[in-house]
Amino acid sequence: MTVGSVLVTGGTGYIGSFTALALIEADYKVVIVDNLYNSSEEVINRIELITGKRPPFYKVDITDEAGLDKVFSEHPDIDNVIHFAALKAVGESGEIPLEYYRVNVYGSICLLRSMEKHNVTNIVFSSSATVYGDATRFENMIPIPEHCPIGPTNTYGHTKSAVETIITDQIQAKRNLATKAGKSGEEWNAALLRYFNPAGSHPSGIMGEDPQGVPYNLLPLLAQVAIGKREKLLVFGDDYASKDGTAIRDYIHVLDLAKGHLVALNYLRDHHPGVRAWNLGTGRGSTVFEMIKAFSKAVGRDLPYQVVERRQGDVLDLTANPSLANKELGWKAERTLEDACEDLWHWTENNPQGYRQDPPKEFVER
Ligand code: NAD
Ligand code: WQD
């Protein structure tokens, strides 16, 4: 018995694949669309290996409204969407802003239009902590609560905050229309999930992050150093006002993040709140040096690094205040940084070529 059906856009990507897994394990039917720009179809095999269920997969671009229409038509039972498909490289977004607006903003409009046509009324959106920009510009906003003013400082962040606004306006418009027609309109709901820094992989060692091309995030880069693909990690600045001089982030295990999507979707379905924004983070900040130490411990040896200049656009501290999600969703990040590091290393050792290789013949839960 399924509890509902969910279209997961970007579902072969890092966070999308783990969310698909969590949904299937919670007895949702999952349909995945992705254009495989930054992921591999092998993910579908791995999901099947872990769950015993194979989600239908469609190679569709998020800006292809007719393609999305076809998927909804073939699966008329879909009543929810979790929307991950996007471009996500902060640096690149400043170089090719139009492409970021096309995929992230126009793509979301195509999705919302297609949902409207097929009367799909619940959407969970992958937003980002990046919408807050530098929260240290305010007093008492670290750890960052949802009421911290939005103020992205890069194009990627602008696209995320634009989509938050578009979704909010669309849900409000549909609710207003329904009210005018004497109905409640309460079926129209959206969750804006602002994630902090996702980390880790599946404890089985067969699912993890597999960025195509050169990664730019700390943990995939550290993993490349550990596996010998990169000589050393460059630490971007040790002159921040933190305990060891390096910048502070809130690293959340991807399994906890995936569970956050599941509970947010359940909340929309049970409570019909309209539009709600929730931070998904741990509430604990870690410095870059602490991360190097934690990952080195998981690997069993010291990993080489070199301190260089600060990276442009980086901020001192992005730590979440997750108490709203704790309270309203009954959700709390449960896994530790050590879990994330051990799982990441297990995945890296097992799959040095990521998804571009067969899964290990036998896999054992850690
Ligand atoms: P990812 O790149 O692994 O996943 C995104 C997926 O979207 C990929 O599978 C990619 O192939 C797909 N995609 C890209 N362009 C597409 C298009 N035009 N049509 C269809 N599919 C397309 O990234 P992720 O880390 O899993 O991120 C998922 C979502 O979460 C994104 O929206 C991202 O902006 C957001 N997010 C990520 C982070 C992070 O640090 N990883 C933090 C906050 C928010
Ligand atoms: C983490 C820390 C770096 C690489 C980005 C986006 C954010 C969200 C998550 C999508 C920082 C330091 C990194 C390296 C380093 N993504 N670092 N050497 O910048 O916190 O957040 O990804 O929504 O929007 O901005 O993540 O992993 O790049 O960096 O010293 O080679 O590691 O300076 O302090 P970031 P990150």
Side-chain angles (χ1 to χ4, degrees):
M1 255 278 283
T2 56
V3 293
S5 296
V6 191
L7 179 76
V8 180
T9 79
T12 47
Y14 177 39
I15 310 168
S17 60
F18 281 87
T19 302
L21 200 67
L23 290 165
I24 293 170
E25 285 171 345
D27 290 327
Y28 274 98
K29 177 186 148 182
V30 168
V31 176
I32 291 179
V33 302
D34 199 299
N35 72 350
L36 302 178
Y37 173 78
N38 194 33
S39 55
S40 155
E41 200 175 336
E42 172 62 20
V43 166
I44 306 292
N45 295 333
R46 308 287 175 107
I47 292 175
E48 188 180 13
L49 264 177
I50 293 172
T51 65
K53 291 189 185 140
R54 188 172 185 85
F57 169 70
Y58 294 84
K59 187 172 176 207
V60 171
D61 197 285
I62 199 68
T63 61
D64 174 7
E65 194 176 323
L68 294 170
D69 285 343
K70 198 160 170 283
V71 176
F72 282 121
S73 298
E74 280 184 28
H75 297 275
D77 53 335
I78 292 176
D79 45 1
N80 315 282
V81 169
I82 305 189
H83 178 34
F84 294 96
L87 301 177
K88 62 161 188 175
V90 172
E92 185 187 63
S93 73
E95 291 158 14
I96 47 168
L98 298 184
E99 187 59 5
Y100 271 69
Y101 281 104
R102 188 183 75 80
V103 174
N104 295 7
V105 180
Y106 175 65
S108 298
I109 292 172
C110 291
L111 176 66
L112 288 166
R113 276 208 297 238
S114 190
M115 287 173 64
E116 186 174 44
K117 277 181 264 177
H118 295 86
N119 205 33
V120 178
T121 58
N122 288 324
I123 180 164
V124 176
F125 172 59
S126 290
S127 189
S128 169
T130 205
V131 298
Y132 295 117
D134 185 1
T136 57
R137 69 193 190 280
F138 303 109
E139 265 182 46
N140 302 325
M141 285 291 179
I142 301 285
I144 307 172
E146 288 81 356
H147 63 261
C148 177
I150 297 298
T153 54
N154 56 65
T155 299
Y156 166 72
H158 286 297
T159 70
K160 288 289 169 189
S161 104
V163 176
E164 285 199 1
T165 306
I166 291 167
I167 291 176
T168 303
D169 288 352
Q170 169 71 349
I171 297 294
Q172 202 48 59
K174 298 308 287 187
R175 285 192 161 219
N176 290 345
L177 211 64
T179 313
K180 277 190 196 144
K183 298 180 197 150
S184 77
E186 65 164 28
E187 68 275 26
W188 292 92
N189 295 288
L192 311 173
L193 301 184
R194 297 174 183 157
Y195 335 139
F196 286 67
N197 291 54
S201 45
H202 197 266
S204 65
I206 69 162
M207 274 180 72
E209 184 171 12
D210 181 26
Q212 317 285 298
V214 184
Y216 73 97
N217 287 121
L218 178 64
L219 280 166
L221 286 166
L222 262 177
Q224 289 200 341
V225 173
I227 202 80
K229 286 188 185 166
R230 192 169 286 272
E231 190 196 331
K232 61 190 167 194
L233 181 87
L234 301 180
V235 174
F236 298 142
D238 65 354
D239 56 351
Y240 285 98
S242 69
K243 57 183 162 190
D244 61 22
T246 62
I248 303 163
R249 296 290 181 270
D250 184 335
Y251 297 89
I252 173 170
H253 197 297
V254 69
L255 288 178
D256 285 328
L257 195 54
K259 177 86 183 297
H261 290 74
L262 174 67
V263 295
L265 177 61
N266 288 340
Y267 188 92
L268 295 188
R269 290 160 58 94
D270 294 343
H271 298 277
H272 313 287
V275 182
R276 295 292 282 157
W278 287 291
N279 285 341
L280 295 183
T282 68
R284 288 183 303 274
S286 305
T287 67
V288 177
F289 281 157
E290 284 171 337
M291 291 307 290
I292 296 176
K293 201 169 160 206
F295 193 60
S296 297
K297 189 167 173 231
V299 174
R301 67 193 136 85
D302 286 342
L303 297 172
Y305 67 85
Q306 180 191 345
V307 177
V308 295
E309 291 291 288
R310 288 185 183 194
R311 184 172 63 181
Q312 210 197 346
D314 273 353
V315 299
L316 161 67
D317 194 341
L318 269 177
T319 302
N321 178 343
S323 34
L324 194 66
N326 298 165
K327 191 168 139 238
E328 289 187 344
L329 302 177
W331 169 92
K332 200 170 189 309
E334 286 165 356
R335 290 167 180 82
T336 63
L337 203 61
E338 288 71 32
D339 295 332
C341 289
E342 283 174 25
D343 292 339
L344 172 61
W345 180 232
H346 192 33
W347 154 255
T348 308
E349 266 190 310
N350 268 296
N351 310 265
Q353 303 308 322
Y355 290 117
R356 288 170 297 278
Q357 61 175 71
D358 289 335
K361 282 225 163 44
E362 287 184 26
F363 64 94
V364 191
E365 296 261 341
R366 196 168 53 76

